[in-house]
Amino acid sequence: MLSEENNRRGKKKSGHPFFWGILEVFSLLVMFAAGILAVQKEDGEEAISFSRHPLITIAAVADSFLAEQKVIAAAESAGDTQKELTEQKEGEQGEKEGEKSLEEAGKEDESLEETKKDEEIFDGSAIALTFDDGPFTVVTNRILDVLLEYDAGATFFVVGSRIEMYSDTLKRIYENGFEVASHTWSHQNLDKLSDEEIKREIEDTEDGLSKYISVKNVLVRPPYGSANETVRALAGTSLINWSLDSQDWKSRDADKIIKHILDTVQDGDIILMHDLYDCTAEAVESLVPELIERGYRLVSVSELFRIKKIPLEEGILYRKPGDHY
Ligand code: ZN
């Protein structure tokens, strides 16, 4: 009996909420429709009569709901896009800051890990060939031909007083993407000059270059590698010496130049040569393919510092990336 009573009660209980549920849904629909009519009237739109078109009204309510959902979805999507953009931007900024901090860390940051990374990227070591005292049409062009043939980079430290006479050669250097730098105007020992003369040697060369090619604040190689504290302070740019002297000026012998360089070259070296002597051009014709064969990437001075992640700083006299006076 008890269980039957419970069953009946249970049935009564289960029937009761179902009935009220129907009523609740109906009353909700009425309220919803009334709400829509009120809103539409306020907006001055044509009111849809609930009593005449109940199905249309329900459809309109559904449409309105869906439309609103679409607007919300669109807004959220836009928000997401904005968020994504912001995140992307923050990411990029983070990367930039990362790069910046790497640069700022300077030579101390040239960790083993980064050296490994470079090796992965370049599959070998990098060195910079540099040519001083030119341009000199015959020799410079011969050197350029070899460099172009092997897709090698280099830096030419040009003497200012030669610019006008050899402007075509200068333009060929520049237009083929080689780095043009300054070897001062008249190849004097800067240590022995007055402040005014030092500035003029550097500025006049830059002005002379600017007449034919588009360069600014070029690197300077002081003649004879001499740059005392005064010269460095007045230079207004980075000063570049060398870590490997080909001694072409001394031996004037292509075989000796080749042997000396191949016997002593190391990763990161800046090699001193002169585009003045036939023997230098002859040596370069053998050296360029041989150095590439040995796994060296031949680049300009600026590119070498970039590869080694060493920032070029104003007023510093470098022998090579990570080695300065
Ligand atoms: Zn010189």
Side-chain angles (χ1 to χ4, degrees):
M1 279 297 284
L2 259 172
S3 64
E4 266 183 44
E5 182 67 20
N6 282 344
N7 275 347
R8 260 185 281 134
R9 277 181 191 167
K11 274 176 193 169
K12 264 186 186 174
K13 271 182 184 172
S14 67
H16 181 74
F18 182 73
F19 171 76
W20 283 110
I22 296 282
L23 255 183
E24 276 167 17
V25 168
F26 182 74
S27 59
L28 268 174
L29 278 173
V30 172
M31 283 163 67
F32 212 2
I36 289 288
L37 284 174
V39 168
Q40 283 174 336
K41 271 182 184 170
E42 265 179 32
D43 289 347
E45 290 176 11
E46 190 190 346
I48 301 167
S49 162
F50 173 70
S51 56
R52 280 193 297 156
H53 307 287
L55 286 174
I56 292 173
T57 305
I58 290 165
V61 169
D63 271 359
S64 162
F65 176 74
L66 283 175
E68 196 180 345
Q69 285 303 105
K70 275 181 193 167
V71 170
I72 292 168
E76 281 174 356
S77 163
D80 283 350
T81 309
Q82 189 63 38
K83 205 179 160 194
E84 277 166 22
L85 282 173
T86 308
E87 280 169 1
Q88 198 181 330
K89 208 175 171 188
E90 281 169 357
E92 282 168 5
Q93 275 172 351
E95 277 170 30
K96 273 178 194 164
E97 277 164 19
E99 285 167 14
K100 208 177 166 189
S101 66
L102 268 179
E103 282 173 12
E104 280 168 357
K107 69 173 182 181
E108 282 173 12
D109 215 52
E110 196 188 17
S111 64
L112 250 178
E113 202 180 320
E114 278 162 11
T115 309
K116 275 182 194 165
K117 240 191 236 170
D118 278 340
E119 282 168 2
E120 275 167 25
I121 294 165
F122 296 105
D123 192 35
S125 308
I127 51 176
L129 298 182
T130 64
F131 299 95
D132 290 13
D133 298 358
F136 184 41
T137 308
V138 180
V139 177
T140 308
N141 276 327
R142 214 172 136 188
I143 290 167
L144 288 175
D145 290 344
V146 183
L147 296 172
L148 288 168
E149 187 183 342
Y150 291 94
D151 198 21
T155 299
F156 290 81
F157 288 96
V158 168
V159 173
S161 60
R162 300 174 73 90
I163 290 171
E164 204 171 328
M165 184 178 282
Y166 298 102
S167 58
D168 287 347
T169 310
L170 171 71
K171 281 190 265 183
R172 188 178 179 222
I173 296 170
Y174 175 77
E175 282 162 10
N176 281 288
F178 297 102
E179 181 171 38
V180 175
S182 163
H183 198 30
T184 72
W185 184 260
S186 58
H187 207 281
Q188 296 186 64
N189 186 336
L190 298 177
D191 288 357
K192 295 175 179 173
L193 302 183
S194 69
D195 289 7
E196 267 312 301
E197 287 168 329
I198 293 166
K199 278 196 226 168
R200 218 184 306 143
E201 282 288 320
I202 291 168
E203 286 167 13
D204 286 357
T205 307
E206 182 128 344
D207 291 346
L209 291 171
S210 303
K211 283 182 190 165
Y212 299 98
I213 59 175
S214 179
V215 288
K216 213 182 167 190
N217 207 28
V218 294
L219 301 174
V220 171
R221 172 165 286 163
Y224 317 103
S226 298
N228 61 21
E229 273 181 35
T230 310
V231 173
R232 288 177 226 170
L234 293 171
T237 184
S238 303
L239 297 148
I240 309 292
N241 273 358
W242 54 87
S243 57
L244 201 172
D245 181 354
S246 70
Q247 298 183 351
D248 56 349
W249 55 276
K250 197 167 149 190
S251 71
R252 306 283 181 100
D253 183 308
D255 289 340
K256 283 184 183 169
I257 296 167
I258 294 166
K259 188 177 185 319
H260 179 58
I261 289 177
L262 293 180
D263 284 351
T264 54
V265 68
Q266 288 182 327
D267 179 26
D269 266 338
I270 294 178
I271 302 176
L272 170 70
M273 286 187 272
H274 299 81
D275 51 338
L276 273 189
Y277 317 121
D278 287 331
C279 64
T280 303
E282 195 186 329
V284 166
E285 284 165 355
S286 298
L287 277 169
V288 168
E290 182 59 29
L291 288 167
I292 291 170
E293 180 69 26
R294 293 187 184 198
Y296 290 103
R297 177 169 282 224
L298 308 183
V299 296
S300 67
V301 169
S302 291
E303 178 69 3
L304 185 64
F305 276 79
R306 198 187 66 77
I307 289 169
K308 301 299 179 190
K309 297 184 170 63
I310 305 290
L312 276 161
E313 288 175 43
E314 190 181 307
I316 304 278
L317 177 61
Y318 296 92
R319 290 187 193 90
K320 62 190 281 188
D323 182 6
H324 61 81
Y325 292 85

